[in-house]
Amino acid sequence: MNEYLSPLEWRDDALQLLDQRLLPVEEKWVACRTYEETARAIRDMVVRGAPAIGCTAAYGVALGIRQGAPLDQVCAALAATRPTAVNLFWALERMKQVRAAGFDDYLKEAHRILAEDIAACVAIGDHGAPLLPDGVVLTHCNAGALATGGYGTALGVIRSAVKKGRNLRVFADETRPFLQGARLTAWELHKSGIDVTLITDNMAAHLMQRGEIQSVVVGADRIARNGDTANKIGTYGVALAAQAHGIPFFVAAPLSTIDLRTPSGKEIPIEERDRREVTHVGDRALAPDGIGVRNPAFDVTPHALIAAIVTETGVAREPYVESLAKLFDAKP
Ligand code: MRU
Protein backbone atom coordinates (compact mmCIF):
# COMPACT_ATOMS: atom_id res chain seq x y z
CA MET A 1 0.00 0.00 0.00
CA ASN A 2 1.21 3.51 -0.70
CA GLU A 3 0.07 6.75 0.92
CA TYR A 4 -1.63 8.03 -2.25
CA LEU A 5 -4.90 7.13 -3.89
CA SER A 6 -4.07 4.52 -6.54
CA PRO A 7 -6.35 2.98 -9.15
CA LEU A 8 -4.63 -0.41 -8.90
CA GLU A 9 -3.25 -2.67 -6.21
CA TRP A 10 -2.15 -6.25 -5.71
CA ARG A 11 -4.41 -7.89 -3.13
CA ASP A 12 -5.68 -11.45 -2.49
CA ASP A 13 -3.38 -12.87 -5.17
CA ALA A 14 -5.04 -10.76 -7.83
CA LEU A 15 -4.76 -7.39 -9.50
CA GLN A 16 -7.50 -5.14 -8.13
CA LEU A 17 -8.65 -2.23 -10.30
CA LEU A 18 -10.86 0.65 -9.24
CA ASP A 19 -13.58 0.60 -11.92
CA GLN A 20 -13.23 4.09 -13.41
CA ARG A 21 -16.30 3.63 -15.61
CA LEU A 22 -18.47 3.84 -12.49
CA LEU A 23 -16.91 6.88 -10.81
CA PRO A 24 -18.01 9.18 -9.27
CA VAL A 25 -21.28 7.37 -8.54
CA GLU A 26 -19.82 4.10 -7.30
CA GLU A 27 -16.40 3.09 -5.90
CA LYS A 28 -16.13 -0.54 -6.91
CA TRP A 29 -12.99 -2.64 -7.29
CA VAL A 30 -12.76 -5.46 -9.82
CA ALA A 31 -10.32 -8.34 -9.55
CA CYS A 32 -8.24 -9.54 -12.53
CA ARG A 33 -6.86 -13.05 -12.10
CA THR A 34 -5.79 -13.71 -15.69
CA TYR A 35 -3.98 -11.77 -18.41
CA GLU A 36 -7.10 -12.00 -20.58
CA GLU A 37 -9.18 -10.28 -17.87
CA THR A 38 -6.47 -7.66 -17.52
CA ALA A 39 -6.40 -6.97 -21.27
CA ARG A 40 -10.19 -6.63 -21.31
CA ALA A 41 -10.08 -4.20 -18.37
CA ILE A 42 -7.61 -1.98 -20.25
CA ARG A 43 -9.60 -2.09 -23.50
CA ASP A 44 -12.92 -1.41 -21.76
CA MET A 45 -11.49 1.50 -19.71
CA VAL A 46 -11.92 -0.03 -16.26
CA VAL A 47 -8.43 1.42 -15.93
CA ARG A 48 -7.16 4.23 -18.14
CA GLY A 49 -4.50 6.93 -18.28
CA ALA A 50 -1.15 6.14 -19.88
CA PRO A 51 0.99 5.38 -16.77
CA ALA A 52 -1.83 3.42 -15.08
CA ILE A 53 -2.27 1.35 -18.25
CA GLY A 54 1.47 0.59 -18.22
CA CYS A 55 1.43 -0.50 -14.56
CA THR A 56 -1.68 -2.62 -15.16
CA ALA A 57 -0.11 -4.33 -18.17
CA ALA A 58 2.95 -5.20 -16.06
CA TYR A 59 0.72 -7.05 -13.58
CA GLY A 60 -1.09 -8.62 -16.55
CA VAL A 61 2.21 -10.15 -17.67
CA ALA A 62 2.81 -11.57 -14.18
CA LEU A 63 -0.69 -13.07 -14.20
CA GLY A 64 -0.06 -14.63 -17.62
CA ILE A 65 3.16 -16.23 -16.35
CA ARG A 66 1.25 -17.62 -13.36
CA GLN A 67 -1.24 -19.15 -15.82
CA GLY A 68 1.66 -20.83 -17.65
CA ALA A 69 0.97 -18.93 -20.89
CA PRO A 70 3.91 -18.12 -23.22
CA LEU A 71 5.37 -14.65 -22.54
CA ASP A 72 5.04 -13.56 -26.19
CA GLN A 73 1.39 -14.53 -26.33
CA VAL A 74 0.64 -12.65 -23.10
CA CYS A 75 2.48 -9.53 -24.26
CA ALA A 76 0.78 -9.61 -27.68
CA ALA A 77 -2.68 -9.78 -26.07
CA LEU A 78 -1.93 -6.86 -23.76
CA ALA A 79 -0.29 -4.84 -26.55
CA ALA A 80 -3.41 -5.16 -28.72
CA THR A 81 -5.61 -3.26 -26.25
CA ARG A 82 -4.88 0.45 -26.79
CA PRO A 83 -2.43 1.78 -29.38
CA THR A 84 -1.64 5.38 -28.39
CA ALA A 85 -0.37 5.31 -24.79
CA VAL A 86 3.28 4.31 -25.18
CA ASN A 87 3.59 3.45 -21.48
CA LEU A 88 1.81 0.20 -22.33
CA PHE A 89 4.58 -0.88 -24.74
CA TRP A 90 7.27 0.51 -22.46
CA ALA A 91 5.99 -1.63 -19.56
CA LEU A 92 5.77 -4.76 -21.73
CA GLU A 93 9.39 -4.22 -22.83
CA ARG A 94 10.43 -3.94 -19.17
CA MET A 95 8.61 -7.15 -18.32
CA LYS A 96 10.21 -9.00 -21.24
CA GLN A 97 13.57 -8.14 -19.78
CA VAL A 98 12.96 -9.92 -16.48
CA ARG A 99 15.88 -12.31 -16.21
CA ALA A 100 14.32 -15.12 -14.25
CA ALA A 101 11.85 -17.88 -14.68
CA GLY A 102 9.27 -17.60 -11.95
CA PHE A 103 6.02 -15.76 -11.31
CA ASP A 104 7.52 -14.11 -8.20
CA ASP A 105 10.18 -12.39 -10.29
CA TYR A 106 7.59 -10.99 -12.69
CA LEU A 107 5.36 -9.89 -9.84
CA LYS A 108 8.30 -8.13 -8.17
CA GLU A 109 9.07 -6.26 -11.39
CA ALA A 110 5.42 -5.15 -11.66
CA HIS A 111 5.58 -3.88 -8.05
CA ARG A 112 8.78 -2.01 -8.97
CA ILE A 113 7.18 -0.41 -12.02
CA LEU A 114 4.24 0.75 -9.89
CA ALA A 115 6.48 2.16 -7.13
CA GLU A 116 8.72 3.92 -9.67
CA ASP A 117 5.68 5.48 -11.35
CA ILE A 118 4.45 6.96 -8.07
CA ALA A 119 7.93 8.30 -7.27
CA ALA A 120 8.15 9.78 -10.79
CA CYS A 121 4.82 11.56 -10.32
CA VAL A 122 5.92 13.13 -7.03
CA ALA A 123 9.16 14.31 -8.68
CA ILE A 124 7.18 15.70 -11.65
CA GLY A 125 5.07 17.60 -9.15
CA ASP A 126 8.15 19.09 -7.51
CA HIS A 127 9.73 20.13 -10.83
CA GLY A 128 6.48 21.52 -12.21
CA ALA A 129 5.03 23.38 -9.23
CA PRO A 130 7.21 26.51 -9.62
CA LEU A 131 6.08 26.90 -13.25
CA LEU A 132 2.42 27.55 -12.47
CA PRO A 133 1.48 31.20 -11.94
CA ASP A 134 -1.00 31.92 -9.16
CA GLY A 135 -4.64 32.00 -10.24
CA VAL A 136 -6.61 29.47 -12.29
CA VAL A 137 -4.97 26.50 -13.97
CA LEU A 138 -6.96 24.64 -16.61
CA THR A 139 -6.57 20.90 -17.14
CA HIS A 140 -8.06 18.56 -19.72
CA CYS A 141 -9.03 14.90 -19.25
CA ASN A 142 -7.67 13.18 -16.14
CA ALA A 143 -3.91 13.08 -15.62
CA GLY A 144 -4.26 12.52 -11.92
CA ALA A 145 -3.81 9.80 -9.32
CA LEU A 146 -6.41 7.77 -11.19
CA ALA A 147 -4.38 7.86 -14.41
CA THR A 148 -1.09 6.81 -12.79
CA GLY A 149 0.24 4.61 -9.99
CA GLY A 150 -0.79 7.49 -7.73
CA TYR A 151 -0.41 11.29 -7.23
CA GLY A 152 -0.72 12.11 -10.94
CA THR A 153 1.28 13.98 -13.55
CA ALA A 154 -0.60 17.18 -14.46
CA LEU A 155 -2.56 16.90 -11.22
CA GLY A 156 0.69 16.01 -9.46
CA VAL A 157 2.06 19.41 -10.48
CA ILE A 158 -1.11 21.02 -9.12
CA ARG A 159 -0.98 18.94 -5.91
CA SER A 160 2.63 19.96 -5.26
CA ALA A 161 1.93 23.64 -5.96
CA VAL A 162 -1.05 23.61 -3.58
CA LYS A 163 1.06 21.82 -0.92
CA LYS A 164 3.61 24.61 -1.18
CA GLY A 165 0.85 27.04 -0.28
CA ARG A 166 0.37 28.54 -3.71
CA ASN A 167 -2.85 30.35 -4.49
CA LEU A 168 -4.34 28.08 -7.16
CA ARG A 169 -7.77 27.08 -8.37
CA VAL A 170 -8.41 24.44 -11.01
CA PHE A 171 -10.78 24.54 -13.96
CA ALA A 172 -11.47 21.01 -15.22
CA ASP A 173 -12.66 20.51 -18.80
CA GLU A 174 -15.44 17.94 -18.78
CA THR A 175 -13.69 16.08 -21.66
CA ARG A 176 -16.21 14.72 -24.11
CA PRO A 177 -16.99 11.99 -24.93
CA PHE A 178 -15.81 9.83 -22.00
CA LEU A 179 -16.07 12.64 -19.44
CA GLN A 180 -12.81 11.94 -17.62
CA GLY A 181 -12.69 15.58 -16.49
CA ALA A 182 -16.17 15.67 -15.03
CA ARG A 183 -16.21 12.19 -13.57
CA LEU A 184 -12.58 11.65 -12.52
CA THR A 185 -10.60 14.91 -12.26
CA ALA A 186 -13.40 16.72 -10.44
CA TRP A 187 -13.85 13.70 -8.16
CA GLU A 188 -10.21 13.25 -7.16
CA LEU A 189 -9.44 16.96 -6.71
CA HIS A 190 -12.58 17.50 -4.65
CA LYS A 191 -11.70 14.47 -2.53
CA SER A 192 -8.23 15.98 -1.96
CA GLY A 193 -9.68 19.33 -0.91
CA ILE A 194 -8.35 21.19 -3.98
CA ASP A 195 -10.59 23.97 -5.30
CA VAL A 196 -12.04 22.67 -8.59
CA THR A 197 -14.59 24.13 -10.99
CA LEU A 198 -16.07 22.07 -13.79
CA ILE A 199 -16.53 23.59 -17.26
CA THR A 200 -17.61 22.06 -20.57
CA ASP A 201 -14.93 21.80 -23.23
CA ASN A 202 -16.40 24.62 -25.34
CA MET A 203 -16.09 27.15 -22.48
CA ALA A 204 -12.29 27.20 -22.21
CA ALA A 205 -11.54 29.72 -25.01
CA HIS A 206 -14.22 32.10 -23.72
CA LEU A 207 -12.83 32.01 -20.19
CA MET A 208 -9.29 32.56 -21.48
CA GLN A 209 -10.48 35.60 -23.45
CA ARG A 210 -12.01 36.97 -20.25
CA GLY A 211 -8.70 36.61 -18.40
CA GLU A 212 -10.05 33.91 -16.10
CA ILE A 213 -7.36 31.30 -16.85
CA GLN A 214 -3.64 31.88 -16.12
CA SER A 215 -2.08 28.56 -17.21
CA VAL A 216 -2.82 25.11 -18.63
CA VAL A 217 -1.29 21.80 -17.56
CA VAL A 218 -2.12 18.45 -19.16
CA GLY A 219 -0.73 14.93 -19.22
CA ALA A 220 0.41 12.95 -22.26
CA ASP A 221 -0.11 9.54 -23.83
CA ARG A 222 2.95 9.70 -26.05
CA ILE A 223 5.56 12.40 -26.58
CA ALA A 224 7.52 12.15 -29.84
CA ARG A 225 11.23 12.91 -30.09
CA ASN A 226 10.53 16.47 -31.31
CA GLY A 227 8.14 17.21 -28.43
CA ASP A 228 4.86 16.75 -30.35
CA THR A 229 2.46 15.40 -27.75
CA ALA A 230 -0.50 13.05 -28.10
CA ASN A 231 -3.07 13.49 -25.36
CA LYS A 232 -6.83 13.22 -24.94
CA ILE A 233 -8.92 14.52 -27.84
CA GLY A 234 -9.50 18.24 -27.37
CA THR A 235 -6.05 18.99 -25.96
CA TYR A 236 -4.88 20.49 -29.27
CA GLY A 237 -7.78 22.94 -29.29
CA VAL A 238 -6.95 24.00 -25.73
CA ALA A 239 -3.30 24.56 -26.73
CA LEU A 240 -4.32 26.70 -29.72
CA ALA A 241 -6.62 28.80 -27.56
CA ALA A 242 -3.89 29.16 -24.91
CA GLN A 243 -1.41 30.37 -27.54
CA ALA A 244 -3.92 32.89 -28.89
CA HIS A 245 -4.26 34.37 -25.42
CA GLY A 246 -0.59 34.22 -24.37
CA ILE A 247 -1.29 31.62 -21.68
CA PRO A 248 1.51 29.09 -20.95
CA PHE A 249 0.62 25.51 -21.87
CA PHE A 250 2.55 22.82 -19.95
CA VAL A 251 2.76 19.05 -20.44
CA ALA A 252 3.62 16.82 -17.45
CA ALA A 253 4.62 13.19 -18.02
CA PRO A 254 7.12 10.57 -16.87
CA LEU A 255 10.04 9.54 -19.10
CA SER A 256 8.11 6.32 -19.83
CA THR A 257 5.73 8.46 -21.92
CA ILE A 258 8.54 9.87 -24.08
CA ASP A 259 9.04 7.81 -27.21
CA LEU A 260 12.37 8.79 -28.77
CA ARG A 261 11.80 6.16 -31.47
CA THR A 262 8.86 8.17 -32.85
CA PRO A 263 10.28 11.22 -34.66
CA SER A 264 7.17 13.42 -34.65
CA GLY A 265 3.46 13.51 -33.95
CA LYS A 266 2.65 12.37 -37.49
CA GLU A 267 3.86 8.87 -36.66
CA ILE A 268 1.87 8.51 -33.41
CA PRO A 269 -1.00 6.01 -33.87
CA ILE A 270 -4.32 7.53 -32.85
CA GLU A 271 -6.89 5.20 -31.33
CA GLU A 272 -10.38 5.38 -32.82
CA ARG A 273 -12.96 4.14 -30.30
CA ASP A 274 -16.54 2.88 -30.53
CA ARG A 275 -19.15 5.28 -31.94
CA ARG A 276 -21.40 4.54 -28.98
CA GLU A 277 -19.18 6.66 -26.70
CA VAL A 278 -20.24 9.66 -28.81
CA THR A 279 -23.87 8.81 -29.50
CA HIS A 280 -24.83 7.73 -25.97
CA VAL A 281 -24.42 8.76 -22.36
CA GLY A 282 -24.92 5.53 -20.46
CA ASP A 283 -27.99 3.89 -22.00
CA ARG A 284 -29.39 7.15 -23.26
CA ALA A 285 -29.10 8.02 -26.99
CA LEU A 286 -28.10 11.62 -27.81
CA ALA A 287 -28.18 11.26 -31.59
CA PRO A 288 -30.32 9.57 -34.24
CA ASP A 289 -29.45 6.07 -35.52
CA GLY A 290 -27.90 5.70 -38.94
CA ILE A 291 -25.66 8.79 -38.99
CA GLY A 292 -21.88 8.87 -39.44
CA VAL A 293 -19.85 9.23 -36.23
CA ARG A 294 -16.13 9.72 -35.62
CA ASN A 295 -14.43 9.03 -32.30
CA PRO A 296 -10.65 9.63 -32.38
CA ALA A 297 -9.63 9.32 -28.72
CA PHE A 298 -6.47 11.47 -28.93
CA ASP A 299 -5.00 14.40 -30.83
CA VAL A 300 -1.48 15.74 -31.26
CA THR A 301 -0.37 19.12 -29.94
CA PRO A 302 2.60 20.41 -31.98
CA HIS A 303 5.69 21.10 -29.89
CA ALA A 304 5.65 24.80 -30.85
CA LEU A 305 2.56 25.28 -28.68
CA ILE A 306 4.17 23.72 -25.57
CA ALA A 307 5.93 26.08 -23.13
CA ALA A 308 7.63 23.21 -21.26
CA ILE A 309 7.50 19.45 -20.74
CA VAL A 310 7.90 18.45 -17.09
CA THR A 311 9.33 15.03 -16.23
CA GLU A 312 10.74 13.35 -13.12
CA THR A 313 14.30 14.31 -14.07
CA GLY A 314 13.63 17.93 -14.95
CA VAL A 315 11.97 20.39 -17.31
CA ALA A 316 12.49 20.39 -21.08
CA ARG A 317 11.96 23.38 -23.36
CA GLU A 318 12.54 24.07 -27.06
CA PRO A 319 14.47 22.69 -28.89
CA TYR A 320 12.87 19.48 -27.61
CA VAL A 321 14.93 17.22 -29.87
CA GLU A 322 17.91 18.10 -27.64
CA SER A 323 16.28 18.79 -24.30
CA LEU A 324 14.15 15.61 -24.15
CA ALA A 325 17.08 13.33 -24.98
CA LYS A 326 19.12 15.02 -22.21
CA LEU A 327 16.47 14.23 -19.60
CA PHE A 328 17.21 10.52 -20.06
CA ASP A 329 20.88 11.10 -19.19
CA ALA A 330 19.77 12.52 -15.84
CA LYS A 331 17.91 9.28 -14.97
CA PRO A 332 19.58 7.53 -12.03
O1 MRU B 1 -8.46 7.53 -22.85
P1 MRU B 1 -7.74 7.78 -21.54
O2 MRU B 1 -8.65 8.15 -20.44
O3 MRU B 1 -6.81 6.64 -21.21
O4 MRU B 1 -6.83 9.04 -21.87
C1 MRU B 1 -6.07 9.58 -20.82
C2 MRU B 1 -5.31 10.81 -21.19
O5 MRU B 1 -5.37 11.28 -22.31
C3 MRU B 1 -4.39 11.36 -20.15
O6 MRU B 1 -4.31 12.74 -20.24
C4 MRU B 1 -2.99 10.75 -20.35
O7 MRU B 1 -3.06 9.37 -20.43
C5 MRU B 1 -2.05 11.15 -19.28
S1 MRU B 1 -2.41 10.35 -17.76
C6 MRU B 1 -1.25 10.80 -16.60
Side-chain angles (χ1 to χ4, degrees):
M1 274 296 283
N2 69 78
E3 60 181 300
Y4 304 112
L5 166 73
S6 176
L8 70 154
E9 58 190 50
W10 183 260
R11 200 178 351 110
D12 302 331
D13 289 328
L15 173 64
Q16 312 283 341
L17 297 173
L18 180 57
D19 192 339
Q20 300 194 32
R21 299 167 305 180
L22 305 179
L23 289 172
V25 178
E26 221 182 309
E27 286 177 46
K28 190 176 151 205
W29 290 78
V30 294
C32 296
R33 294 195 164 77
T34 65
Y35 76 92
E36 294 96 332
E37 284 172 357
T38 310
R40 205 172 312 126
I42 295 172
R43 198 175 35 246
D44 294 348
M45 310 272 279
V46 173
V47 63
R48 32 64 52 199
I53 291 171
C55 296
T56 301
Y59 283 102
V61 172
L63 289 169
I65 297 295
R66 188 172 70 181
Q67 290 167 260
L71 180 61
D72 284 347
Q73 181 182 313
V74 171
C75 289
L78 290 161
T81 52
R82 299 197 69 192
T84 305
V86 77
N87 305 61
L88 169 62
F89 308 99
W90 172 90
L92 294 176
E93 279 308 311
R94 271 274 297 255
M95 294 303 281
K96 280 182 189 166
Q97 248 119 80
V98 171
R99 296 261 170 268
F103 161 67
D104 281 350
D105 303 297
Y106 285 95
L107 183 62
K108 266 190 209 140
E109 183 68 352
H111 288 330
R112 254 194 303 270
I113 287 174
L114 176 60
E116 284 174 23
D117 188 65
I118 296 165
C121 285
V122 173
I124 287 168
D126 291 343
H127 286 299
L131 299 178
L132 297 185
D134 279 354
V136 171
V137 54
L138 174 70
T139 191
H140 189 76
C141 192
N142 172 265
L146 291 169
T148 58
Y151 202 73
T153 56
L155 298 194
V157 171
I158 292 170
R159 285 178 194 283
S160 294
V162 168
K163 260 199 222 159
K164 288 179 168 57
R166 301 278 301 292
N167 187 10
L168 272 185
R169 290 166 54 219
V170 182
F171 281 6
D173 272 348
E174 106 186 299
T175 318
R176 277 277 293 156
F178 209 72
L179 305 178
Q180 288 94 332
R183 297 189 303 102
L184 308 177
T185 295
W187 180 78
E188 74 164 85
L189 289 179
H190 186 61
K191 204 174 157 77
S192 300
I194 295 175
D195 187 330
V196 59
T197 298
L198 177 64
I199 62 172
T200 63
D201 299 342
N202 50 1
M203 294 173 189
H206 165 71
L207 294 168
M208 287 180 185
Q209 190 183 47
R210 294 278 166 123
E212 292 194 39
I213 293 172
Q214 279 64 52
S215 65
V216 180
V217 62
V218 298
D221 288 84
R222 190 186 297 228
I223 300 172
R225 189 162 69 226
N226 69 347
D228 290 353
T229 294
N231 191 49
K232 180 52 54 194
I233 191 76
T235 303
Y236 177 35
V238 173
L240 285 169
Q243 187 199 42
H245 295 95
I247 295 167
F249 177 95
F250 301 111
V251 171
L255 295 179
S256 52
T257 303
I258 299 175
D259 180 11
L260 296 179
R261 281 183 286 199
T262 296
S264 77
K266 278 202 303 287
E267 293 83 22
I268 298 178
I270 300 293
E271 177 183 10
E272 190 87 33
R273 291 187 62 84
D274 197 291
R275 55 183 276 134
R276 200 182 156 89
E277 289 179 358
V278 176
T279 57
H280 286 67
V281 170
D283 288 335
R284 190 156 163 216
L286 304 173
D289 280 343
I291 55 164
V293 175
R294 288 290 308 274
N295 188 13
F298 301 97
D299 59 26
V300 174
T301 298
H303 60 88
L305 300 180
I306 301 171
I309 297 176
V310 185
T311 74
E312 67 269 40
T313 55
V315 177
R317 293 184 189 270
E318 292 274 25
Y320 289 108
V321 175
E322 288 160 27
S323 59
L324 288 177
K326 270 203 199 112
L327 290 178
F328 285 86
D329 299 339
K331 200 170 157 61

